[in-house]
Amino acid sequence: MLVLITYDVNTETAAGRKRLRHVAKTCVNYGQRVQNSVFECVLDAAQFRVVKDKLIKTIDAELDSLRFYELGNNYKSKVEHYGAKPSFDVTDPLIV
């Protein structure tokens, strides 16, 4: 299933900047960055539980926020893209 993960981490302190780096690194390990604080992740149910748990444990709930949008397996008809940075299929092989 495709899960859209978005976050807003307060970076006014060194601890906040550290949380931001940790959240971003966790998201990079599970998906593709599509905007600064937005990741598209193709996950199964177990992977989704793991990444969600990691991120919730990382943030400070008083200062930061996370959003998870479960778009399911038929997500291709639900995602539209306009403007800069051409869209891509997150399930295509990644060539490094």
Side-chain angles (χ1 to χ4, degrees), residues 20 26 31 33 49 52 61 63 65 73 87:
L20 175 64
T26 299
R33 184 188 300 264
R49 282 191 303 273
K52 187 175 179 180
L63 301 172
S65 67
N73 291 322
S87 188

Side-chain angles (χ1 to χ4, degrees), residues 26-55:
T26 299
C27 289
V28 164
N29 289 336
Y30 287 91
Q32 180 69 39
R33 184 188 300 264
V34 293
Q35 292 186 358
N36 286 338
S37 298
V38 181
F39 284 80
E40 290 179 351
C41 306
V42 177
L43 307 168
D44 60 33
Q47 290 171 317
F48 180 46
R49 282 191 303 273
V50 169
V51 70
K52 187 175 179 180
D53 185 57
K54 285 181 182 182
L55 292 172

Side-chain angles (χ1 to χ4, degrees), residues 1-6 32 34 38-41 43 48 67-71 79:
M1 80 178 124
L2 180 69
V3 177
L4 193 68
I5 301 174
T6 69
Q32 180 69 39
V34 293
V38 181
F39 284 80
E40 290 179 351
C41 306
L43 307 168
F48 180 46
R67 287 180 181 247
F68 300 93
Y69 299 89
E70 296 180 60
L71 299 178
V79 177

